[in-house]
Amino acid sequence: MYSPQIILEAALNGLMTGAVYALIALGLTLIYGVLHIINFAHGALLTCAMFAVWIAWAWLGLDPYLVIVPLVPLMFVLGYGLQRFVIGPASHGDDGNILLVTLGLSIVLENVLLAVFQSDTRTLDTDYSFQVVALGPLLLSFPRVIGLAVAVVVTGLLWLVLNRTDTGKAIRAVAKEKLGANLVGIDVPHVYAITFGLGCACLAVAAGLLMPTFYVNPRIGSAFVLVAFTVVVLGGMGSLPGALLGGLFIGVVESLCGLFLGDSLGQIGIFLIFIAVLLVRPTGLFGAKA
Amino acid sequence: MGRSVQDSALSGISRRTVLKAGAAAAAFVTVPVAAPSILRAQTPAVKIGILQPVTGALAHDGDLGRVGAEMAINEINAAGGIKSLGGAKIEMVFGDARSTPEAGTQEVERMQAEGVCAIVGGFASPICLAASQAAARYDLPYLVDVGVSDQIMARGLTNTFRFSPGFGKVTQVALDNLTRINELAGKPAKTVVLVHEDGLFGSGLAKLLQAELPKRGFEILETIAHPTPARDMSNVALRIRSLNPDLVIPSNYYGEFVLLARTMQQQRIKPKGVYAVLGGAASNGRFVKEFPQAAQNVIDCNHWHDPKNPKALALRKAVEAQGKSFAYNVPLNYSNLLLLADAIERAGSADRKTIIEALNASTFAGHIMPYGPTKFVNGQNEGATPINTQIQGEDIKVIFPETFAESKANYPAA
């Protein structure tokens, strides 16, 4: 049996890993939860962002946290362009097509990265990668504490965008009633693309926060994306607070299961909890009543 | 299976082979490979196939393997080629195994069509298994450069030779050396935690260690498995911290090894030793360069060149001068080429059967590995052995056995 301190530390580790899950899921909950685009390319786009952070560090010597600033608009533009000129036109509004297009896109992105970077694992090292924040006897990883704080702030910002701006209102209008929104003069393809762009911008933040403690190779995104889909459904489709709390919750569950059952089985807990929640609350923790 | 081969190296080519080779060559066009220099010498060149995965998941290793082979070929040619064949130069026929056994097999077919008299390389066990099997159909000598799976040598293929040690031998030596290193230091380590990736390689190794360590007086506190890729080693580190073992023995791939080492450093876990067996990063120059702190004092039992051999040191310098990080792939491929050239020299012919006979009779000692004279029994070099290295400062030093040691083991490290 582990000491309470070890268990507490594992739970806190999980909380901080969960914060990054939450960030990745925020992007997905916008795209999937609001627009019902099943974006299989989400993982590959995260990988692209992580490589961008790595390149900025390796070639230009930029700090990964600083890279987030220019990377957010870049990823937004990339997401906007992909939705506007690739996914949207290619899918003709059919969900089945969207699924295939984003899956194809993920395969293309992954293999382009593989061709350019080969499948070597790359890491970057910063002065603070190994720093710890000592909370009494607990040693918490400094970059993860930052990750947790940033995830909360980003969620708040996104919530403000969705609830307090005209763009946010347009996004919600399109999500609720596409035809109606179109009739009152909302440019629906533009709103779709903006939403997709916002989702990709979240990935830029997640990539910057991940890189000081993590590594990147062309297939790394897939390790995160399945968990992100689970977080979205668990938190409730389209709910930003749901994505945040769902991510944190799943991080803690995974960490504690990993501690007690071994890391290979850590993810079992995620899916057990997921099924249990869906049996009790089919709309997820924060999902609107159907 | 093996059909008899006539004197001509090009016999036994069917139309199908040519078609297959054409397809493989077409697929290969996109891969940039240094074209072999065409020599208009008096004597025809001796063609040797070099098979390495220079694209795909194993590209980093394949690239180093190719470097080792090229350096040996250049050296042999500069010294006058194969003298018993009138100074015939060696011509490299390169094949990219693209990190898959299927592609490796295709490349063997293509090399066969191009008339090579032997093939060296493969790197990964699955590629070596498939490629040597394909070569066996043409009685084409195949020299495994790294592939540690003992299955490779257990099939009774007369064309397949392995100059380096296999999995079983490496584990045996790793345990013997660990016991000895521990005894020499006054037995500071008694308890062990095994950390392994949950795939074929890590699980297999962990099973062997679980059976053998208790016989040698070590108590295994826990065996911790983790998936590949692992996203986070915090829990593994926490468990190690709560168990507080004397030794941690990891068996995982590069990325996870690095993640574990960094997390242990962060959590201020300082066991008396980290002892890797065929470690994913423990004797890799890149790990030392990128994370010198986390890499400090990690011990590995792995393939490594003889550090007392001046030729080996010159080779290492030359590779590092090219801006590449050095690893065991270079000296292994370099040595394999010298071994093969020696066999061709003694055979006095590029005939495959004669080369196989010459390899079987080989007592070659001009290599740069810590093996002594070569002696093949059923294709396996009996004298092959891994040695122990430790990361000390910014370098990888041999620490055991004493005959080859460059420096003393920094053990116990904490």
Side-chain angles (χ1 to χ4, degrees):
Chain A
M1 197 50 220
Y2 298 106
S3 67
Q5 185 194 327
I6 295 277
I7 295 171
L8 179 62
E9 216 164 313
L12 286 171
N13 270 331
L15 198 66
M16 293 182 290
T17 309
V20 178
Y21 287 165
L23 266 177
I24 298 166
L26 280 178
L28 201 61
T29 202
L30 279 173
I31 297 167
Y32 179 41
V34 177
L35 305 177
H36 303 288
I37 291 177
I38 299 179
N39 180 20
F40 271 123
H42 206 66
L45 286 164
L46 172 67
T47 314
C48 289
M50 286 168 84
F51 265 113
V53 173
W54 182 83
I55 288 169
W57 173 83
W59 297 356
L60 309 170
L62 292 176
D63 184 274
Y65 289 165
L66 281 179
V67 179
I68 294 177
V69 178
L71 193 59
V72 165
L74 272 175
M75 285 297 287
F76 177 85
V77 170
L78 175 71
Y80 185 97
L82 278 177
Q83 169 58 31
R84 189 93 206 223
F85 305 112
V86 180
I87 301 169
S91 60
H92 306 295
D94 175 4
D95 281 358
N97 287 347
I98 290 176
L99 199 139
L100 287 176
V101 171
T102 57
L103 186 62
L105 191 65
S106 79
I107 293 170
V108 169
L109 286 175
E110 231 175 61
N111 283 288
V112 166
L113 289 172
L114 206 55
V116 176
F117 295 101
Q118 320 231 294
S119 52
D120 267 1
T121 295
R122 289 159 212 270
T123 45
L124 56 80
D125 206 13
T126 61
D127 298 340
Y128 49 81
S129 286
F130 284 119
Q131 275 180 17
V132 283
V133 178
L135 262 183
L138 305 176
L139 297 173
L140 303 179
S141 154
F142 169 76
R144 293 197 175 171
V145 174
I146 296 283
L148 181 62
V150 172
V152 173
V153 170
V154 170
T155 311
L157 284 175
L158 270 180
W159 187 87
L160 284 175
V161 167
L162 273 189
N163 290 289
R164 296 278 184 274
T165 65
D166 288 349
T167 308
K169 281 186 188 138
I171 290 173
R172 284 181 298 138
V174 168
K176 274 209 165 51
E177 183 51 65
K178 200 161 40 172
L179 187 62
N182 206 353
L183 289 174
V184 297
I186 293 174
D187 180 352
V188 173
H190 175 69
V191 170
Y192 261 70
I194 288 225
T195 312
F196 207 96
L198 282 174
C200 290
C202 290
L203 292 179
V205 182
L209 294 175
L210 270 174
M211 281 313 287
T213 54
F214 214 72
Y215 59 86
V216 59
N217 64 38
R219 297 223 157 84
I220 203 71
S222 53
F224 289 96
V225 77
L226 194 64
V227 177
F229 268 105
T230 312
V231 170
V232 169
V233 178
L234 183 67
M237 303 274 270
S239 160
L240 297 176
L244 179 66
L245 291 171
L248 296 176
F249 180 61
I250 279 203
V252 173
V253 167
E254 183 189 33
S255 183
L256 291 177
C257 283
L259 185 69
F260 289 104
L261 306 174
D263 275 359
S264 302
L265 297 173
Q267 295 215 326
I268 282 183
I270 296 180
F271 297 106
L272 287 177
I273 296 276
F274 178 58
I275 292 164
V277 167
L278 286 188
L279 285 174
V280 180
R281 269 191 72 95
T283 50
L285 295 174
F286 291 81
K289 296 276 187 297
Chain B
M1 269 297 293
R3 28 175 309 195
S4 73
V5 173
Q6 318 304 312
D7 281 354
S8 155
L10 278 169
S11 71
I13 297 182
S14 64
R15 203 167 56 124
R16 185 181 304 177
T17 314
V18 175
L19 289 175
K20 265 193 200 167
F28 185 68
V29 165
T30 52
V31 181
V33 169
S37 54
I38 296 168
L39 294 148
R40 293 270 170 263
Q42 291 292 307
T43 45
V46 175
K47 291 182 179 175
I48 293 178
I50 304 297
L51 180 70
Q52 286 293 340
V54 291
T55 55
L58 310 168
H60 179 70
D61 282 292
D63 181 51
L64 289 176
R66 176 167 67 179
V67 167
E70 275 176 344
M71 285 184 153
I73 291 173
N74 293 341
E75 197 174 291
I76 295 160
N77 287 343
I82 306 288
K83 295 179 186 66
S84 64
L85 290 173
K89 297 280 186 278
I90 292 178
E91 182 186 316
M92 173 166 91
V93 177
F94 186 77
D96 177 9
R98 303 195 287 285
S99 302
T100 66
E102 298 79 12
T105 308
Q106 277 176 7
E107 290 302 295
V108 169
E109 295 287 350
R110 186 180 62 86
M111 289 171 178
Q112 145 71 17
E114 290 201 21
V116 299
C117 66
I119 296 177
V120 179
F123 176 64
S125 292
I127 298 174
C128 293
L129 268 169
S132 54
Q133 185 89 39
R137 296 218 309 270
Y138 307 105
D139 282 338
L140 184 55
Y142 187 100
L143 275 74
V144 173
D145 62 338
V146 179
V148 286
S149 167
D150 282 329
Q151 211 185 330
I152 298 170
M153 302 314 296
R155 296 166 301 166
L157 296 180
T158 52
N159 72 317
T160 306
F161 295 86
R162 183 166 62 192
F163 173 67
S164 54
F167 197 84
K169 170 83 179 184
V170 173
T171 312
Q172 199 59 41
V173 173
L175 286 161
D176 289 346
N177 292 0
L178 172 62
T179 313
R180 192 77 196 100
I181 290 170
N182 197 39
E183 277 168 1
L184 288 171
K187 292 200 177 176
K190 291 176 186 65
T191 55
V192 177
V193 165
L194 302 177
V195 180
H196 69 91
E197 64 97 33
D198 59 6
L200 203 59
F201 150 66
S203 304
L205 204 54
K207 214 174 249 152
L208 272 173
L209 293 168
Q210 276 173 317
E212 290 295 324
L213 280 165
K215 292 180 195 166
R216 296 157 190 268
F218 292 99
E219 184 198 349
I220 299 176
L221 298 178
E222 193 166 359
T223 302
I224 305 172
H226 65 77
T228 303
R231 286 171 300 203
D232 179 22
M233 286 281 181
S234 304
N235 278 334
V236 175
L238 279 177
R239 287 163 84 175
I240 295 173
R241 203 170 77 195
S242 74
L243 293 161
N244 195 18
D246 300 326
L247 274 181
V248 175
I249 302 186
S251 322
N252 35 22
Y253 293 106
Y254 187 87
E256 284 68 29
F257 192 104
V258 172
L259 200 59
L260 176 66
R262 295 178 82 190
T263 312
M264 280 173 65
Q265 185 200 357
Q266 180 188 49
Q267 295 284 328
R268 299 172 196 172
I269 301 165
K270 293 197 176 83
K272 295 189 174 91
V274 174
Y275 188 94
V277 181
L278 292 169
S283 50
N284 190 316
R286 208 172 116 205
F287 178 42
V288 187
K289 204 162 62 191
E290 287 180 359
F291 305 109
Q293 277 180 301
Q296 273 323 293
N297 296 323
V298 168
I299 299 175
D300 193 12
C301 185
N302 211 328
H303 311 285
W304 200 251
H305 57 273
D306 173 359
K308 304 245 158 123
N309 185 319
K311 257 167 86 175
L313 301 181
L315 183 76
R316 188 174 173 179
K317 261 211 182 79
V319 172
E320 283 167 351
Q322 288 181 27
K324 292 182 188 291
S325 56
F326 189 82
Y328 57 76
N329 318 60
V330 183
L332 272 180
N333 277 279
Y334 175 87
S335 295
N336 264 295
L337 258 294
L338 296 186
L339 167 83
L340 178 61
D342 168 75
I344 298 171
E345 185 72 73
R346 283 182 296 103
S349 146
D351 170 60
R352 298 164 179 197
K353 276 228 159 113
T354 324
I355 293 173
I356 288 176
E357 281 163 22
L359 281 168
N360 276 321
S362 185
T363 54
F364 182 65
H367 55 76
I368 57 172
M369 301 304 285
Y371 302 167
T374 307
K375 181 172 175 246
F376 285 115
V377 176
N378 298 325
Q380 173 64 48
N381 179 17
E382 291 282 277
T385 177
I387 54 179
N388 285 81
T389 56
Q390 184 175 37
I391 296 168
Q392 297 182 346
E394 289 181 3
D395 204 358
I396 301 167
K397 296 275 192 205
V398 174
I399 53 159
F400 202 81
E402 284 101 337
T403 350
F404 299 106
E406 297 170 279
S407 70
K408 286 182 76 70
N410 194 356
Y411 176 85

